[in-house]
């Protein structure tokens, strides 16, 4: 028990130190409880080498840009290439244009986000974390897409774990 607690604290400290946030969210879909491990790896270039290691084993990736920041949108093509190079071939991808509550400061047109999503065959939503617009819908849609592709080991199972465990060795162990 204490070993697990210490490992959790050490993991949280390390992730905060390197600019990566980690959360667990449980959702219910199709009568099954689904545990999502969410790794916010930050899109800054200084985290590039760390971020790509998290692609391995990921079942779903949300690429998020800021609609008020053109540079963040320009980086999407680079991140999509990185996913193609480092992630599993069947990883579910989704594009999110965040801060849609700030229409008066918009720099990136919604049609540009829709276009790049269409070119890459991925889903697209505009969201606002601050105003809680389309956040739940985006996570549930991604979870549904992953669940649709994930074979369930026990047909009558009520719980499905679609968490990837990230790409950091030694942290894939489940505890507590």
């Amino acid at each position: 028990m204490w070993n697990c607690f210490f490992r959790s604290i050490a993991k949280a400290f390390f992730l905060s130190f390197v600019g990566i946030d980690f959360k667990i969210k449980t959702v219910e879909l199709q009568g099954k409880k689904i545990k999502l491990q969410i790794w916010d790896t930050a899109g800054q270039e200084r985290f590039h080498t760390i971020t790509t290691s998290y692609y391995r084993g990921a079942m779903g990736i949300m690429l998020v840009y800021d609609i008020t920041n053109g540079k963040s949108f320009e980086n999407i093509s680079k991140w999509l290439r990185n996913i193609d190079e480092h992630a599993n071939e069947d990883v579910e991808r989704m594009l999110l244009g965040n801060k849609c509550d700030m229409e008066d400061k918009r720099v990136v047109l919604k049609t540009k986000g829709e276009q790049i999503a269409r070119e890459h065959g991925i889903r697209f939503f505009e969201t606002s974390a601050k105003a809680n617009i389309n956040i739940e819908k985006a996570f549930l849609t991604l979870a549904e897409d992953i669940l649709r592709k994930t074979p369930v080991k026990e047909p009558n199972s009520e719980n499905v774990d679609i968490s990837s465990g990230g790409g950091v060795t030694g942290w894939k162990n489940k505890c507590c």
Side-chain angles (χ1 to χ4, degrees), residues 48-98:
H48 171 73
T49 54
I50 295 169
T51 301
T52 55
S53 70
Y54 283 84
Y55 293 156
R56 288 187 279 289
M59 298 172 84
I61 297 174
M62 290 177 160
L63 291 158
V64 183
Y65 67 90
D66 175 349
I67 70 160
T68 70
N69 180 332
K71 180 85 170 134
S72 71
F73 181 75
E74 292 168 17
N75 288 331
I76 293 297
S77 292
K78 177 190 73 166
W79 290 110
L80 284 165
R81 280 192 305 276
N82 282 328
I83 290 169
D84 289 342
E85 291 173 19
H86 299 285
N88 294 339
E89 193 175 295
D90 63 344
V91 69
E92 284 294 325
R93 299 169 298 159
M94 179 180 281
L95 180 63
L96 302 177
N98 196 36

Side-chain angles (χ1 to χ4, degrees), residues 22-39:
F22 171 81
K23 300 269 190 249
I24 293 179
K25 180 173 178 68
T26 302
V27 297
E28 190 164 326
L29 291 172
Q30 301 170 12
K32 296 176 176 30
K33 287 186 180 177
I34 300 172
K35 184 173 89 175
L36 305 172
Q37 284 186 10
I38 303 162
W39 300 78

